[in-house]
Amino acid sequence: MIKLVVFDLDGTLLDTIEDLGDSVNEVLVARGYPTHSYAEYCLFIGDGMENLIKKSLPDECLNDEHLIEEVLNDYREAYTRNWNKKSRPYEGIMECLASLKARGIISTVLSNKPHHFTEMCVESLIGNEHFDIVLGQREGVEKKPSPDAAIEICNKMKVDPSNVVFVGDTNVDILTGVAAGMTTIGVLWGFREEEELRDAGANHIVNNPNEILQVIRNVS
């Protein structure tokens, strides 16, 4: 029986691609580097902020760790100004969260976005009242696809992973749920394609948030 849902944030609960892409492009323009489209950023996002910057920079920059750190710091500053300009919950997400709560199912968030940005986005754009735990990338904790933080959520909520659904839009999310021993749901409204999610081992694929509830009913 499903008792708990772990949601990814960017591309799953929130459509953040424009604020993320705009922030990186702002930094790249300032340094005279080529920019990228939102479609390209959909492929860059999901594996943490540092990897986003590395994928965005020209290849000739990637051996300069000092430069990467400078650009990363510039990006943090830009995103601090831009994070809530265009980002919004996907259509149907708020209704999904309300329905889960009504059924007595716990909702949590696990993101590779830095923890303070994760908290800011959830509190301002969705509302903390929908979640029992909200975790972003933290010092000393392996980021997804390591299952460590997902297992931490289970332990804190005293729920066995076999009674948990992990919902995400990238292979990183699905691999995390698989490694944690959870049922996995890949969503198609986010940043990646169905093939990637299936190849990572997604148990279910959904086209809209309402289908998450249908999967949970069937699994339960």
Side-chain angles (χ1 to χ4, degrees):
M1 181 177 179
I2 300 303
K3 299 179 179 179
L4 186 152
V5 180
V6 180
F7 286 100
D8 170 55
L9 186 63
D10 299 88
T12 301
L13 293 172
L14 294 177
D15 184 357
T16 56
I17 195 66
E18 293 185 51
D19 286 339
L20 290 164
D22 290 348
S23 297
V24 181
N25 281 343
E26 177 184 315
V27 173
L28 295 176
V29 167
R31 290 180 173 268
Y33 299 137
T35 59
H36 305 281
S37 67
Y38 294 139
E40 290 175 295
Y41 282 119
C42 285
L43 301 177
F44 296 170
I45 289 166
D47 197 26
M49 190 174 280
E50 182 175 350
N51 284 312
L52 167 61
I53 294 305
K54 287 180 178 179
K55 292 173 183 176
S56 303
L57 284 169
D59 289 343
E60 60 267 23
C61 298
L62 298 182
N63 291 324
D64 189 336
E65 292 298 328
H66 179 69
L67 173 62
I68 292 171
E69 186 61 31
E70 284 186 344
V71 175
L72 182 57
N73 287 335
D74 290 348
Y75 170 71
R76 290 190 184 104
E77 192 276 329
Y79 190 61
T80 297
R81 289 184 281 101
N82 295 329
W83 65 275
N84 61 350
K85 288 186 176 179
K86 302 174 184 176
S87 296
R88 297 290 184 273
Y90 286 101
E91 184 177 353
I93 284 296
M94 301 306 294
E95 293 81 1
C96 176
L97 293 171
S99 295
L100 289 171
K101 179 170 283 192
R103 290 172 61 89
I105 296 172
I106 300 164
S107 291
T108 65
V109 175
L110 177 58
S111 176
N112 276 344
K113 184 193 291 288
H115 185 64
H116 70 286
F117 281 125
T118 299
E119 289 185 316
M120 285 166 51
C121 287
V122 169
E123 180 178 9
S124 177
L125 302 177
I126 304 175
N128 288 332
E129 66 272 16
H130 297 285
F131 305 103
D132 284 65
I133 295 176
V134 174
L135 297 179
Q137 186 179 355
R138 296 163 292 155
E139 186 92 23
V141 180
E142 289 289 327
K143 67 179 186 296
K144 298 180 296 184
S146 166
D148 291 358
I151 296 298
E152 177 185 345
I153 288 173
C154 292
N155 291 339
K156 285 183 175 180
M157 301 309 302
K158 297 181 171 56
V159 177
D160 189 271
S162 63
N163 299 125
V164 177
V165 167
F166 199 111
V167 181
D169 70 305
T170 72
N171 58 352
V172 170
D173 301 312
I174 301 304
L175 292 170
T176 303
V178 170
M182 300 171 177
T183 298
T184 53
I185 299 178
V187 308
L188 296 184
W189 57 82
F191 299 158
R192 303 291 174 80
E193 300 296 327
E194 181 173 354
E195 182 179 6
E196 175 179 315
L197 300 170
R198 291 199 181 278
D199 288 347
N203 299 118
H204 306 274
I205 301 291
V206 297
N207 291 285
N208 61 72
N210 184 58
E211 292 181 17
I212 294 172
L213 302 171
Q214 296 175 20
V215 170
I216 289 174
R217 292 189 193 102
N218 292 336
V219 173
S220 297

